[in-house]
Amino acid sequence: MLVSERKPWEEILQSLGTRDRIFVVSCGGCADACETGGNEGLVEAKTKLQEAGKQVTGAVLVDYLCNKVLVGIRMGRYIKELEGSDLVLVLSCGVGVQVVGAMVDLPVHPADNTLFMGGFTGVWPGAERCAQCGECRLGVTGGICPVTNCTKELLNGPCGGSNNGKCEVDPEKDCGWMLIYERLKRLGRLEDMKGIRPARDHKLMEPPPERRKTIYWALENVE
Amino acid sequence: MKLRELFEEGRFVLTSEIGPPKGVLLDEMFAEIEPLKGKVDAINVTDNQSSVMRLGSLPVCHILKERGFIPVFQITCRDRNRLALQSDILSAYVLGVENVLCITGDHNVLGDHPQSKPVFDLDSVQLIKTVRGLTRGRDMVGNELEGSPEFCIGAVVNPGADPLEPQIIKMELKAEAGAEFFQTQTVYDVGQFERFMSQVERLKRPVMAGIVFLKSAGMARFMNQNVAGVSVPDDIIKELASVSKEDRPKKSVEITARIIRSLKDMCQGVHLMPLGWDRYVPDVLKEADLR
Ligand code: SF4
Ligand code: SF4
């Protein structure tokens, strides 16, 4: 289970900027269980977006977003709506956001922060990985996670070792920052690479106390 | 002495570089840099260069200072978290170091302790911003310092990177964070460097062109294949291959000086990386009509 929590709506709405036509995707897996996705999340997102004067071009629930094939089939039905959207708001863990980002040629913004992995790892689809950093920044990195795709977990662009699109540690491994750069360039959002990003808050990687309790409670209950 | 003062004077700044030994014997290192005395303005001391564990950059900076050199403290993000980085920066100041060069650092797996834990708690941009903050009397989280250090802050950039755009975006972030000058990866392709300079002039930061002494054609080919953003043109490789082993240093001096001469008017200084061939530095500078 990838445990997530909702970002403050203020932060989410701010991240959308002037982009008004929003397509919403919500995950019916872990995010539903965490009450950060699911049908309720979808309804909440629609309401919040409309209240903020945004147009919701479409809203779809997919269980699970970490199942690439399923995402492809479900999203495939909304090609027209997606073409008429400025971005996709995704209610799920970091993996789900990245899967959607890899599927559509639109910016994807996360509505949730992924906090930690509670035992079950989801249906891992392959390359899209989330390190549960607790502060999801996929909205400004073209939907590609810098924490897991950059070997040094850099937040402010590529290091000097990036070579022909590959990482300095392994000529077979893509440089995460080149992937981010290429994607942002394609999306016309290179300005997202500007502005200094502050250092990570590693405290956020510890499960918050109330979450910790729930895990223990669940285990105790099994006995 | 801060490099800033030299740039402000309009001086064409020359620096070189030394790697501390793996161990505690310093004599060889001293002998290596002896020919640099009075020839270069400052000497960079590398920080566990190429992720190979060595004697620390900071104590060596201090010793160089005592011996009359101006050290540039290279500090990487690979081995220390933000507490240790800030602490070492403060330590550098009390040990008389006035110039720091903030770099990301090579990844651990490229060095001699590939099993080690990579830190990278901060990236180079965040490190520069942090050092700038310290010079203004505050640590990273805003606590006030008892007395603030003063530094000239440098950063690095790779003008040969392909694509160049993300490098330049990052360079802008470094400048915004507080970098006062830039030192580049080694340059052999003068045309490429000129194109790079035309794109970064607007940043209004002095740029020092880096140059690694080419010791043989084999080394040049190796760099072309393995070092990001380095391209030694074919005619230089041919030139190196055309001479006998004994004549290589002479050839290397000739090539290096020639490159420096053609770069000289495009940038504000040169950073020499002789890799042990420090004894040829005076010849290079003379042939490049510098000092
Ligand atoms: S930024 Fe990366 S590690 Fe952090 S929550 Fe998002 S996907 Fe996960
Ligand atoms: S080469 Fe790219 S992926 Fe590798 S550490 Fe550098 S920026 Fe990160």
Side-chain angles (χ1 to χ4, degrees):
Chain A
M1 166 102 93
L2 279 141
V3 180
S4 55
E5 71 180 9
R6 172 83 68 251
K7 282 178 181 286
W9 274 103
E10 249 170 46
E11 182 190 329
I12 300 172
L13 292 171
Q14 205 184 355
S15 82
L16 305 179
T18 54
R19 290 168 290 255
D20 287 332
R21 300 171 304 165
I22 317 293
F23 191 95
V24 188
V25 180
S26 182
C27 178
C30 312
D32 189 15
C34 301
E35 299 178 356
T36 50
N39 200 41
E40 278 170 36
L42 205 61
V43 174
E44 183 191 333
K46 263 173 98 171
T47 320
K48 292 279 185 196
L49 289 169
Q50 279 159 353
E51 275 171 16
K54 303 283 181 194
Q55 181 198 343
V56 179
T57 51
V60 48
L61 177 71
V62 183
D63 37 297
Y64 309 93
L65 277 187
C66 54
N67 183 334
K68 239 183 187 166
V69 180
L70 201 59
V71 180
I73 295 171
R74 293 284 279 146
M75 304 279 286
R77 296 188 193 144
Y78 295 89
I79 292 179
K80 259 186 74 190
E81 287 82 351
L82 286 164
E83 277 172 359
S85 307
D86 297 319
L87 67 76
V88 184
L89 181 67
V90 187
L91 287 75
S92 79
C93 71
V95 173
V97 184
Q98 293 184 75
V99 171
V100 176
M103 202 85 68
V104 296
D105 246 347
L106 281 174
V108 285
H109 282 208
D112 300 330
N113 283 325
T114 307
L115 303 181
F116 64 98
M117 199 158 68
F120 171 61
T121 57
V123 189
W124 221 248
E128 292 81 11
R129 290 194 297 140
C130 169
Q132 309 106 48
C133 78
E135 203 177 359
C136 193
R137 53 199 99 233
L138 288 169
V140 288
T141 55
I144 296 170
C145 174
V147 180
T148 53
N149 283 282
C150 168
T151 319
K152 298 176 189 167
E153 306 185 5
L154 306 177
L155 297 185
N156 283 293
C159 72
S162 178
N163 204 1
N164 293 322
K166 300 294 175 190
C167 177
E168 70 175 22
V169 301
D170 177 359
E172 301 287 309
K173 182 186 181 294
D174 289 329
C175 164
W177 270 101
M178 280 307 141
L179 296 176
I180 294 173
Y181 164 73
E182 298 292 350
R183 173 85 59 84
L184 287 174
K185 196 168 152 185
R186 208 171 63 231
L187 296 173
R189 290 210 18 196
L190 271 181
E191 78 274 13
D192 283 351
M193 278 184 79
K194 302 191 175 155
I196 300 171
R197 284 165 216 182
R200 273 173 65 186
D201 179 352
H202 285 272
K203 280 198 315 300
L204 298 173
M205 295 203 71
E206 268 301 302
E210 61 291 357
R211 298 278 185 177
R212 228 160 24 221
K213 270 188 219 126
T214 354
I215 308 172
Y216 293 142
W217 179 81
L219 289 176
E220 280 157 15
N221 236 16
V222 174
E223 286 176 9
Chain B
M1 167 77 84
K2 297 182 184 66
L3 291 187
R4 178 199 309 138
E5 297 161 30
L6 299 177
F7 289 122
E8 279 168 4
E9 273 171 24
R11 186 180 169 91
F12 189 79
V13 177
L14 292 175
T15 55
S16 187
E17 179 167 306
I18 187 82
K22 193 172 185 76
V24 293
L25 298 180
L26 296 170
D27 291 348
E28 226 172 87
M29 185 186 81
F30 290 145
E32 207 176 302
I33 57 175
E34 200 47 43
L36 303 179
K37 210 159 212 169
K39 295 285 171 193
V40 296
D41 297 303
I43 298 184
N44 275 226
V45 184
T46 56
D47 178 16
N48 288 335
Q49 189 177 17
S50 310
S51 309
V52 172
M53 191 286 294
R54 296 156 188 276
L55 178 63
S57 169
L58 183 48
V60 172
C61 281
H62 176 65
I63 295 169
L64 290 195
K65 171 113 196 224
E66 283 188 328
R67 296 191 156 227
F69 292 99
I70 296 176
V72 178
F73 175 33
Q74 289 198 2
I75 184 163
T76 74
C77 300
R78 179 191 51 240
D79 308 320
R80 312 166 181 81
N81 71 4
R82 60 191 86 176
L83 270 88
L85 286 169
Q86 293 180 94
S87 175
D88 278 1
I89 295 286
L90 296 182
S91 307
Y93 180 70
V94 301
L95 289 174
V97 175
E98 294 179 275
N99 303 287
V100 278
L101 190 85
C102 302
I103 10 190
T104 309
D106 293 330
H107 194 277
N108 307 47
V109 301
L110 304 179
D112 67 348
H113 288 63
Q115 312 83 351
S116 58
K117 181 173 184 177
V119 181
F120 302 108
D121 185 23
L122 300 185
D123 62 28
S124 53
V125 174
Q126 293 156 351
L127 176 59
I128 292 164
K129 199 169 171 196
T130 302
V131 180
R132 177 50 73 222
L134 294 173
T135 65
R136 294 185 177 141
R138 301 265 170 190
D139 71 9
M140 254 187 99
V141 290
N143 295 319
E144 206 171 319
L145 305 177
E146 290 170 34
S148 42
E150 281 170 36
F151 289 109
C152 174
I153 306 172
V156 295
V157 64
N158 189 346
D162 180 26
L164 186 57
E165 192 176 21
Q167 272 288 317
I168 292 187
I169 295 175
K170 190 159 188 178
M171 187 179 175
E172 280 169 22
L173 294 183
K174 289 177 177 180
E176 189 187 330
E180 296 171 69
F181 71 94
F182 286 89
Q183 205 166 284
T184 77
Q185 172 63 287
T186 182
V187 178
Y188 301 109
D189 185 334
V190 178
Q192 185 186 56
F193 184 73
E194 192 172 14
R195 287 190 293 280
F196 163 79
M197 285 307 294
S198 69
Q199 290 188 54
V200 302
E201 245 164 23
R202 65 194 157 84
L203 294 179
K204 305 254 177 296
R205 296 290 190 286
V207 172
M208 305 183 69
I211 185 154
V212 169
F213 287 27
L214 289 172
K215 296 183 179 178
S216 67
M219 172 182 169
R221 275 187 225 108
F222 178 86
M223 291 190 22
N224 277 351
Q225 270 165 27
N226 297 292
V227 187
V230 174
S231 49
V232 186
D234 275 344
D235 42 342
I236 293 187
I237 299 183
K238 280 198 200 110
E239 243 184 295
L240 279 163
S242 72
V243 296
S244 66
K245 203 166 175 217
E246 302 73 58
D247 287 338
R248 276 186 201 154
K250 207 169 143 252
K251 195 74 199 163
S252 176
V253 166
E254 189 187 314
I255 293 170
T256 313
R258 191 173 67 218
I259 296 171
I260 295 176
R261 273 201 307 272
S262 43
L263 292 173
K264 214 159 50 175
D265 295 327
M266 301 174 196
C267 54
Q268 290 68 43
V270 166
H271 176 66
L272 303 163
M273 292 171 269
L275 306 184
W277 275 13
D278 302 59
R279 58 188 178 281
Y280 301 118
V281 168
D283 293 346
V284 167
L285 297 180
K286 202 161 147 233
E287 266 195 51
D289 307 321
L290 278 170
R291 284 171 202 174

